[in-house]
């Protein structure tokens, strides 16, 4: 959808979206922040791959979405993935998400 977009700096995936497709934001070089709506159940392969400046991911679903392969491959070092506070352990222990366990934190913007 936005593959290799060089103008996108942040994106909010609406709450009515259920899937982020393979390669959807791959190589969005200047993407720094993503908010994933609470209805997303699947994040496709390499969806955010090679987003070298992507340092903040706000993942709103309380149940960790299924990750297909490695959606954050080759993206920014020092990235933080913010999830609902009550779901931090669920994310850290979910398949594939566990590869990002050190980057998963409670969402500081949560009400």
């Amino acid at each position: 959808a936005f593959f290799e977009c060089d103008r996108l700096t942040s994106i909010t995936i609406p709450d009515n979206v259920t899937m982020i497709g393979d390669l959807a934001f791959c190589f969005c070089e200047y993407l720094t922040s993503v908010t994933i709506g609470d209805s997303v159940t699947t994040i496709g392969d390499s969806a955010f791959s090679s987003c070298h400046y992507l340092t903040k991911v706000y993942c709103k679903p309380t149940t960790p979405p299924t990750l297909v392969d490695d959606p954050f491959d080759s993206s920014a070092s020092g990235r933080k993935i913010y999830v609902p506070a009550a779901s931090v352990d669920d994310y850290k222990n979910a398949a594939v998400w566990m590869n990002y366990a050190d980057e998963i934190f409670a969402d500081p913007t949560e009400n």
Side-chain angles (χ1 to χ4, degrees):
F2 293 93
F3 184 84
E4 293 186 343
C5 180
D6 64 356
R7 296 174 194 250
L8 192 62
T9 58
S10 67
I11 187 83
T12 297
I13 309 297
D15 288 337
N16 62 342
V17 172
T18 60
M19 179 181 178
I20 300 170
D22 296 348
L23 304 170
F25 298 93
C26 185
F27 290 106
C28 287
E29 191 67 28
Y30 298 101
L31 186 63
T32 61
S33 174
V34 172
T35 300
I36 298 170
D38 61 13
S39 295
V40 171
T41 59
T42 304
I43 301 174
D45 183 27
S46 299
F48 299 99
S49 180
S50 297
C51 294
H52 301 295
Y53 296 104
L54 181 58
T55 56
K56 295 178 186 163
V57 177
Y58 296 90
C59 198
K60 302 296 184 181
T62 55
T63 299
T66 299
L67 300 183
V68 179
D69 199 20
D70 189 356
F72 300 106
D73 182 45
S74 299
S75 56
S77 62
R79 174 185 50 238
K80 294 188 186 223
I81 301 171
Y82 297 108
V83 303
S87 302
V88 169
D89 289 338
D90 293 339
Y91 274 83
K92 288 186 175 194
N93 294 309
V96 186
W97 284 103
M98 64 181 56
N99 298 335
Y100 306 108
D102 293 342
E103 302 172 14
I104 297 173
F105 301 92
D107 186 345
T109 66
E110 192 175 58
N111 292 334

